[in-house]
Amino acid sequence: MSEATLPGLETVEPVLPMTERTPWIERGPQKRLMLFSGRSNAELAEQISEKLGVQLGEIKLKTFANGETYVRYLDSIRGADVFIVQSGNQPVNDHLVELLIMIQAAKLESAGADRVVTMDLHAGQIQGFFTIPVDHMTALQLFAQYYRDKGLQGEGIVAVSPDPGRAKMARRFGQMLEGDLAILNKTRPSHDEASVTEVIGQVEGKVAIMSDDMIVTGGTLIAGADALLEAGATDVYACATHGLFPGNAFEKIAGSKLKQVTVTNTVPIDPVNRPNKIDVLPVSSLLAETILNVFADDSVSAIFAGENQLF
């Protein structure tokens, strides 16, 4: 007569012979990368999915008559690494809430993302607001290559910081362009208005290139261009990662003394009303490479050779 063994106490044979042990245990099926898009920038999400070689996941998003957002994942996401693409363009609050609800719906029993991938934060201190990993990307090298391809590099170029707070990033930008550095000292009489009181640095006889993290109304760049030209700059270019352009921003920039303004497509830009003075660079390849590195547990900083550090 044999004794019955209680469930869970059976002798478990090793998966591999003792002589063939490895530092990990393979788990099948392998983890999956899935990409979903909110309604803020579907075009960018589609471009990223093409670079990754995957289809965008099916998701139902709609807004009820009372303004409430409805989210339902139509694809099974259980056990998958889910990446959600959402921009902070208008209406900002609606897109932010939609993102939070998409995260909550993906997590099911608890709201909250496991990781944040972002590009050119407005302030480096924002990273400290998170208790989860934050992968910070920058378009600085993308812009530097863009201007170098146009022949704008060397001693005749000066990289300009629109305020003292962005001086460190402007210095890096100037080094990429093999040029000098200048800093604008500005005041804000009111929100979305800027007045440049001083140009710090030698800009006379040089082409000035201002770099910033975002453009809203364009007031800072327009005031900066006026001040730089008065200080002797021959031409003034400007670039910023996020181009919001609310209200009459297009008209103001088109009528300004700026020679050209370059932004990325992190935020969708109106192709019909966009003036010829505004150029748009795609960031889909950069985002796709970063997503792959996060998924594979590889370094994100390595993509930028460490130039994505904010401090």
Side-chain angles (χ1 to χ4, degrees):
M1 182 176 179
S2 61
E3 292 184 346
T5 304
L6 293 176
L9 297 181
E10 301 91 349
T11 301
V12 179
E13 295 294 331
V15 176
L16 295 174
M18 298 297 289
T19 57
E20 299 181 23
R21 285 188 298 173
T22 60
W24 62 86
I25 295 177
E26 295 282 351
R27 180 172 59 89
Q30 298 297 314
K31 65 177 184 176
R32 298 172 295 144
L33 185 159
M34 300 185 72
L35 187 71
F36 291 87
S37 174
R39 290 179 286 184
S40 65
N41 201 343
E43 183 179 356
L44 174 60
E46 181 61 37
Q47 291 174 3
I48 295 172
S49 70
E50 290 178 2
K51 299 293 183 182
L52 291 173
V54 300
Q55 293 182 347
L56 283 175
E58 290 193 44
I59 186 171
K60 187 174 184 179
L61 296 165
K62 71 176 184 178
T63 303
F64 292 115
N66 65 350
E68 183 181 353
T69 299
Y70 174 83
V71 173
R72 182 187 176 191
Y73 288 90
L74 302 180
D75 285 332
S76 173
I77 60 174
R78 185 177 298 276
D81 283 11
V82 172
F83 291 82
I84 301 172
V85 179
Q86 187 80 312
S87 296
N89 53 308
Q90 294 179 300
V92 177
N93 290 348
D94 290 349
H95 288 150
L96 175 60
V97 170
E98 181 175 272
L99 173 62
L100 295 175
I101 295 175
M102 290 176 72
I103 294 171
Q104 191 274 336
K107 296 281 285 188
L108 299 177
E109 73 278 2
S110 62
D114 296 301
R115 196 178 192 110
V116 174
V117 178
T118 185
M119 178 170 280
D120 281 320
L121 291 169
H122 188 55
Q125 296 88 333
I126 294 174
Q127 286 183 301
F129 297 167
F130 294 91
T131 57
I132 58 175
V134 177
D135 294 302
H136 178 259
M137 299 182 295
T138 179
L140 212 59
Q141 290 167 307
L142 190 68
F143 287 129
Q145 188 61 53
Y146 169 80
Y147 287 118
R148 289 175 72 95
D149 290 343
K150 293 172 72 72
L152 297 175
Q153 67 181 95
E155 295 181 357
I157 302 298
V158 56
V160 181
S161 173
D163 54 61
R166 196 170 167 83
K168 184 175 180 179
M169 297 297 283
R171 182 179 297 278
R172 290 181 186 173
F173 192 47
Q175 291 170 345
M176 293 176 187
L177 296 175
E178 303 173 26
D180 293 327
L181 171 69
I183 302 172
L184 302 181
N185 189 19
K186 71 177 182 182
T187 60
R188 285 197 177 277
S190 62
H191 287 298
D192 296 329
E193 289 187 18
S195 175
V196 176
T197 59
E198 186 179 9
V199 177
I200 305 170
Q202 179 58 251
V203 300
E204 186 173 0
K206 297 184 179 182
V207 174
I209 305 177
M210 290 185 287
S211 63
D212 211 343
D213 60 312
M214 69 175 179
I215 301 174
V216 185
T217 62
T220 295
L221 299 182
I222 292 171
D226 292 341
L228 289 166
L229 290 170
E230 289 179 9
T234 57
D235 286 309
V236 180
Y237 293 77
C239 61
T241 305
H242 316 292
L244 303 181
F245 305 117
N248 65 341
F250 278 159
E251 290 78 5
K252 289 170 62 177
I253 290 175
S256 72
K257 296 178 182 178
L258 287 160
K259 187 172 183 65
Q260 187 186 47
V261 175
T262 307
V263 296
T264 76
N265 63 340
T266 56
V267 174
I269 309 297
D270 185 350
V272 176
N273 297 314
R274 186 186 89 204
N276 294 331
K277 189 178 285 190
I278 296 178
D279 200 7
V280 182
L281 300 182
V283 292
S284 52
S285 295
L286 189 59
L287 288 166
E289 185 177 0
T290 301
I291 289 172
L292 280 178
N293 279 28
V294 170
F295 179 66
D297 296 324
D298 287 336
S299 171
V300 171
S301 295
I303 299 174
F304 305 92
E307 293 294 334
N308 61 327
Q309 303 301 317
L310 291 175
F311 299 101

